[in-house]
Amino acid sequence: MENGNSPSKLAAPELERKLLERIRGSDKPLRIMHVCGTHERTIAKYGLRSVLPKNIEVISGPGCPVCVTPEEDVNIAIALAKSGATVVTFGDMMRVPGSGESLLDAKSEGANVKMVYSIDDAIALAEKKPELEVVFFGIGFETTVPANAAALLRKTPENFSLLTSQKQTPPAVEFLARDADVDAFIAPGHVATIIGTKPFESLAEKGFPVVVSGFEPGDILLGINLLQMQAEKGISRVDNGYPRAVKPEGNQIALKIMKETFETSDSEWRGIGKIKNSGLVLRKEFEEKDAAKKYEDLYASALEDVRKKTGRKDKKRCICAAILTGKAKPSQCPNFGKDCTPKSPAGPCMVSQEGMCYNWFRYSREGGNRVA
């Protein structure tokens, strides 16, 4: 940065002011997709869309792990709980609807469902209650996978198993890049701390400017400005706008234990469909810890009943699929703020604090188009 005024030498308000000046100084149109729920939370909470020029549009992609967990995986978790297993998972995941009900609904009907904050909490429960068959419903992107891998490598109690619904981000972003009306991407900072910047280089090779961004308002504005600079020069590369946490090679220790425990597979993404090489499943040597296989005979009949259930909401009116792929805004959904609220979500995008609908509802009915 000229005159020595690098972002690291400026206080946050001054940094943000200078970045906004740069962003507003370009008239080049740019439609940017981010793929991180925390990015959407920052954008909505601080009203960043309200201060951007009209030629810059920032839309949300499938960056919320709860939102993209497929119905069938939720159905299996519910069927396990109804069949006698103790299903434990994160709080947000308990409220995500499957075919017609959620884990929280199953709990209200008497199923043994518990909330935990980590896989270690689930293992501690299994150790304390050896009479229970404890199943940890592990969801999420590359950020949460290393903790699950490390736990399995440490050895776990015999009455503990993992129902996994874990995703890899880069294949999903590349899948969307094929037909999404997008010019550039903000890559997720949390994911990049694990996998680094290199997995996003194939996007740049296809002509998309990419920047890895942090989570403060200044980080987001810096990311937008870096993308503008690439677009103005007619180049595409991966810029690291979050060097305080992200290395090009990622976290090698985390990647090593992930590779030892999991292998790549095709995977279903809710609202998107099956994406090649976007999932992670347990390697053969850990199959005895795979709840979906270990208890398949136990929950088979319950699963059929769960699949047949019809939800209270009119699912045809829920447009989470379009929202997750950047084709619609939450305010375009007929359910939004009416039949679908954080207290009574009709679809997964309204459940999690990383969901786009949740953030639009909480911070602004126009998706953060105000100054906080």
Side-chain angles (χ1 to χ4, degrees), residues 217-257:
D219 291 322
I220 303 293
L221 294 174
L222 174 62
I224 293 170
N225 183 231
L226 289 171
L227 291 174
Q228 275 185 312
M229 293 168 66
Q230 288 191 47
E232 288 168 354
K233 294 176 182 177
I235 62 174
S236 58
R237 66 188 180 211
V238 181
D239 283 335
N240 186 0
Y242 195 28
R244 63 186 184 274
V246 174
K247 299 177 181 178
E249 68 277 13
N251 184 324
Q252 291 295 303
I253 295 175
L255 290 171
K256 180 176 182 293
I257 63 173

Side-chain angles (χ1 to χ4, degrees), residues 253-266:
I253 295 175
L255 290 171
K256 180 176 182 293
I257 63 173
M258 284 169 60
K259 190 174 181 180
E260 288 177 10
T261 314
F262 295 94
E263 61 186 5
T264 295
S265 68
D266 298 344

Side-chain angles (χ1 to χ4, degrees), residues 30 32-34 43 49 52 56-60 186 224:
L30 203 58
I32 302 167
M33 176 181 278
H34 72 75
I43 291 166
R49 289 187 177 95
L52 294 174
I56 299 294
E57 183 181 8
V58 181
I59 62 173
S60 178
I186 296 177
I224 293 170

